[in-house]
Amino acid sequence: MSESKAVVMQGAAAEPTYLKIEGLWKAFGDFLALKDISLEIAQGEFICFLGPSGCGKTTLLRAVAGLDPQTRGTIWQGGRDISELPASQRDYGIVFQSYALFPNLTVERNIAFGLENTRRPRAEIAARVRELLDLVGLPDQARKYPAQLSGGQQQRIALARAIAINPGLLLLDEPLSALDAKVRVHLRHEIKELQRKLGVTTIMVTHDQEEALSMADRIVVMNHGVIEQIGTPTEIYRQPATLFVADFIGETNRVATTYSDGAVTIGDAVLQTHAVGLANGAPVTMAVRPEDVLPHASADGAAPRPNHLDVRIEAMEFLGSYWRTHLTSPALGDTPLFANFSMNAVRRFGLSAGASLTVELPAERVLVFPRGGEDG
């Protein structure tokens, strides 16, 4: 198996495959938006396509939907090759960032739109609309028009319309990005609960790492038209496969250095790491997340301990649930270190600007990536 294929298969689901993408490419003239994408999604799984603007995540979603077909490659859904099918013949519901509700139709008519095209009896359609309005928590909004609803309510109606025909696949294209922060947090929980209740296989496109981490069963991290890593939220966050993933998901302290005998050297500090597969002398980038810098009482006069540094607090910034702390150390030379200390740690150690303490960088949390992988 090639290295690229190994990345694609990481975190593969154990459930039966429902959607399978093989060797997908998409070109816009001379620009390659997607480059040899292969991916398997399990029945009932909630997948997030995550990445920065222009990474190819929306292009991949639109290829699955048949709205912007691939240049080459195959897509299988439920064992059926849908690669060449028009969008109208594919089995999915879709929710867009802009909601795309019909402004001249009432809420109930918006939800019923897809059902009416199936020529179902009126009574059956009306019953299904009532069921869906109850499901999304808006049973009393049937006769209103979209302009009379809040953004969050409009998005719930768009979701109800998308699932009205019981699609095999639910596609969500940045569904929460137009909403304010509090509504976003509330709705992402509701969407996840609804997806679990329905058991519908779901793909959501987002550039918001918090959304992906809180909602997805697995995350597909994309960059420059390729998949950087696939894994559970915990795998993606704790075991990033590339420096791009480490930087894009969360925050990191990062330093260019070299690797030798299971350790990296920064200034006079030698930090042990659990990284494997690197040659001695290899140029690498070391990365440590701010929350993985652990505070200890100052160890003046004590024998040096592995991966422990004596540091000085240069500045502290209160960010609500933690303090962002700017540290310096003679051992690190000119390299600064940022740490996130909990409120309890700040109180326990009496931390303040100008204070000295010892911090530990646990070897298992010292991430090391080959140099040159900074952009994925």
Side-chain angles (χ1 to χ4, degrees):
M1 181 181 288
S2 69
E3 182 177 347
S4 63
K5 295 298 182 186
V7 170
V8 168
M9 295 305 294
Q10 178 184 347
E15 297 297 322
T17 297
Y18 179 72
L19 189 76
K20 185 176 183 179
I21 300 168
E22 291 184 313
L24 209 72
W25 295 73
K26 177 63 180 179
F28 295 98
D30 294 332
F31 174 69
L32 283 176
L34 298 174
K35 308 168 190 174
D36 197 19
I37 297 292
S38 293
L39 171 65
E40 294 186 12
I41 298 174
Q43 178 75 46
E45 196 173 16
F46 194 122
I47 292 284
C48 278
F49 293 168
L50 175 67
S53 297
C55 72
K57 57 188 185 294
T58 296
T59 302
L60 181 55
L61 185 86
R62 290 177 64 83
V64 170
L67 300 173
D68 208 346
Q70 68 277 6
T71 305
R72 69 177 188 267
T74 57
I75 304 173
W76 296 78
Q77 182 180 354
R80 182 173 69 137
D81 186 349
I82 64 169
S83 308
E84 304 300 326
L85 289 181
S88 60
Q89 294 181 25
R90 302 193 186 195
D91 178 20
Y92 68 86
I94 190 165
V95 177
F96 297 100
Q97 175 183 344
S98 60
Y99 319 137
L101 297 174
F102 300 112
N104 59 322
L105 298 182
T106 62
V107 163
E108 60 184 354
R109 290 291 309 282
N110 264 281
I111 296 173
F113 184 80
L115 294 168
E116 289 170 350
N117 290 337
T118 65
R119 303 183 187 278
R120 300 185 188 189
R122 285 180 179 273
E124 184 181 330
I125 291 174
R128 177 63 172 158
V129 169
R130 287 194 300 271
E131 177 189 352
L132 289 164
L133 284 170
D134 286 339
L135 192 63
V136 298
L138 298 172
D140 56 348
Q141 306 296 317
R143 299 301 174 88
K144 290 186 177 180
Y145 287 87
Q148 297 173 289
L149 304 178
S150 69
Q153 289 174 326
Q154 289 185 51
Q155 195 58 292
R156 290 186 202 178
I157 298 304
L159 190 61
R161 184 178 64 182
I163 62 177
I165 57 173
N166 290 315
L169 185 64
L170 179 61
L171 305 177
L172 308 174
D173 187 8
E174 301 266 12
L176 305 178
S177 60
L179 304 173
D180 66 52
K182 283 191 175 180
V183 175
R184 257 199 328 267
V185 170
H186 181 67
L187 254 189
R188 73 189 185 203
H189 173 74
E190 287 194 353
I191 289 173
K192 181 61 180 174
E193 287 302 307
L194 181 61
Q195 187 268 341
R196 282 178 178 157
K197 185 183 295 185
L198 297 173
V200 60
T201 307
T202 300
I203 300 172
M204 185 174 82
V205 164
T206 183
H207 64 272
D208 187 318
Q209 56 176 280
E210 192 174 284
E211 269 180 23
L213 290 170
S214 65
M215 296 177 73
D217 296 319
R218 286 190 301 153
I219 299 171
V220 178
V221 184
M222 299 184 65
N223 187 34
H224 297 317
V226 301
I227 293 175
E228 293 269 341
Q229 187 174 359
I230 302 171
T232 66
T234 303
E235 288 169 346
I236 293 290
Y237 192 83
R238 280 302 185 188
Q239 302 161 31
T242 67
L243 184 57
F244 171 82
V245 175
D247 267 349
F248 190 77
I249 312 291
E251 300 175 279
T252 59
N253 293 283
R254 49 189 284 185
V255 183
T257 181
T258 56
Y259 174 88
S260 182
D261 295 326
V264 292
T265 302
I266 305 169
D268 294 329
V270 177
L271 300 175
Q272 300 296 318
T273 173
H274 289 178
V276 295
L278 295 167
N280 283 343
V284 297
T285 298
M286 183 278 291
V288 175
R289 296 199 184 279
E291 65 269 26
D292 289 330
V293 179
L294 307 181
H296 296 275
S298 183
D300 291 339
R305 290 174 288 174
N307 287 40
H308 285 64
L309 299 170
D310 293 328
V311 299
R312 170 186 165 87
I313 299 176
E314 299 296 335
M316 298 180 68
E317 182 182 6
F318 180 59
L319 295 178
S321 58
Y322 63 90
W323 288 84
R324 168 61 55 82
T325 311
H326 181 185
L327 309 173
T328 58
S329 171
L332 296 177
D334 295 331
T335 302
L337 187 65
F338 291 93
N340 293 345
F341 292 150
S342 69
M343 301 287 291
N344 287 337
V346 170
R347 283 195 295 266
R348 187 178 350 133
F349 295 109
L351 303 182
S352 60
S356 296
L357 74 155
T358 300
V359 296
E360 178 188 2
L361 282 60
E364 67 274 13
R365 301 267 52 94
V366 176
L367 307 174
V368 179
F369 304 97
R371 194 93 55 82
E374 287 78 4
D375 294 323

